[in-house]
Amino acid sequence: ETAQRDEPGPFPPPPPYGFHGRARELYELERRFRSHRGIVLHAMGGMGKTTLATEAAHWWTRSGLFRDGACFLSFEQFASADRAVQVLGTYLAGPKFEQLPATEQRRRAIELFATKDVLMVWDNFESTLTQFDDAPAGTASPYGDDERRRLAELFRDLTAGAGRGRLLVTFRPGETGLPGASRYELHGLARPDSLLLLSPL
């Protein structure tokens, strides 16, 4: 069953301590989305990239920026370009989307992404790169060169040219290999926000 249009898709649950600060970052990401369809949110591990992306999706769907909703895909567990197409297409078109042939799924997902006010989040995209590979020693990464190329091509096809959909990718510092992405670096919380986070409830 597809999510309601005014609710994000299968995003992680909010942090137990709630969401604090980051108003400036939310504003800057929204401003950049006016001129860029694909943004890479860079930060070291533990800086709150996933939390910010989740909160942004909730806020932007509630505020009407993405009237057709938001959906989420993590790359920590292997997720192919075909899977990314299925998650997006099923979210926008319903479960019958997965009955289409793979080539038609890809064409239709790109078409839907161009015509819908939708946000898709690709989380932990660094998992696709060799230097962040957690596969046991002696075993091959599921993300080979061919799969990384297919993901880069999908990113390009989703975000190139005019269109209404937007793609937010979370990533550790480094080169994503995603063509045409706008880069936004996330820093630590501003001091007032960090003090608020530490204060007792």
Side-chain angles (χ1 to χ4, degrees), residues 25 29 39-43 48-50 52-53 168-172 182-186:
E25 290 85 351
L29 286 169
I39 296 176
V40 175
L41 180 64
H42 282 267
K49 299 182 295 296
T50 302
L52 177 59
L168 180 62
V169 180
T170 72
F171 193 80
R172 294 187 192 179
S182 174
R183 175 179 172 140
Y184 180 68
E185 187 171 355
L186 182 65

Side-chain angles (χ1 to χ4, degrees), residues 24-42 60 65-66 119 159 163-168 180-187:
R24 179 176 59 84
E25 290 85 351
L26 283 168
Y27 171 78
E28 179 61 21
L29 286 169
E30 183 174 334
R31 187 185 70 82
R32 289 187 182 214
F33 268 141
R34 292 175 195 157
S35 54
H36 295 91
R37 297 189 63 205
I39 296 176
V40 175
L41 180 64
H42 282 267
W60 290 333
L65 182 63
F66 294 107
L119 173 71
T159 61
R164 291 158 59 185
R166 297 293 186 267
L167 188 53
L168 180 62
S182 174
R183 175 179 172 140
Y184 180 68
E185 187 171 355
L186 182 65
H187 299 284

Side-chain angles (χ1 to χ4, degrees), residues 29-184:
L29 286 169
E30 183 174 334
R31 187 185 70 82
R32 289 187 182 214
F33 268 141
R34 292 175 195 157
S35 54
H36 295 91
R37 297 189 63 205
I39 296 176
V40 175
L41 180 64
H42 282 267
M44 297 295 292
M47 290 284 285
K49 299 182 295 296
T50 302
T51 300
L52 177 59
T54 300
E55 179 63 22
H58 281 282
W59 169 246
W60 290 333
T61 51
R62 287 197 307 267
S63 69
L65 182 63
F66 294 107
R67 292 174 296 177
D68 294 304
C71 57
F72 178 93
L73 179 63
S74 173
F75 288 85
E76 280 190 295
Q77 301 295 323
F78 177 69
S80 65
D82 289 344
R83 181 60 187 152
V85 164
Q86 287 176 350
V87 168
L88 177 61
T90 303
Y91 181 74
L92 290 172
K96 289 184 178 180
F97 178 86
E98 294 194 26
Q99 298 173 13
L100 297 172
T103 53
E104 178 63 13
Q105 284 187 14
R106 193 179 194 281
R107 187 200 65 78
R108 182 71 178 130
I110 292 167
E111 179 183 78
L112 286 166
F113 196 67
T115 58
K116 299 285 188 179
D117 292 311
V118 64
L119 173 71
M120 186 173 197
V121 174
W122 286 5
D123 193 45
N124 292 305
F125 194 72
E126 69 275 358
S127 299
T128 66
L129 302 187
T130 306
Q131 61 265 41
F132 296 109
D133 180 25
D134 293 328
T139 62
S141 168
Y143 293 107
D145 290 342
D146 185 58
E147 192 57 53
R148 283 191 287 270
R149 176 185 57 78
R150 294 177 74 242
L151 285 164
E153 288 174 353
L154 178 61
F155 179 90
R156 179 200 65 205
D157 291 347
L158 286 171
T159 61
R164 291 158 59 185
R166 297 293 186 267
L167 188 53
L168 180 62
V169 180
T170 72
F171 193 80
R172 294 187 192 179
E175 290 302 317
T176 61
L178 298 175
S182 174
R183 175 179 172 140
Y184 180 68

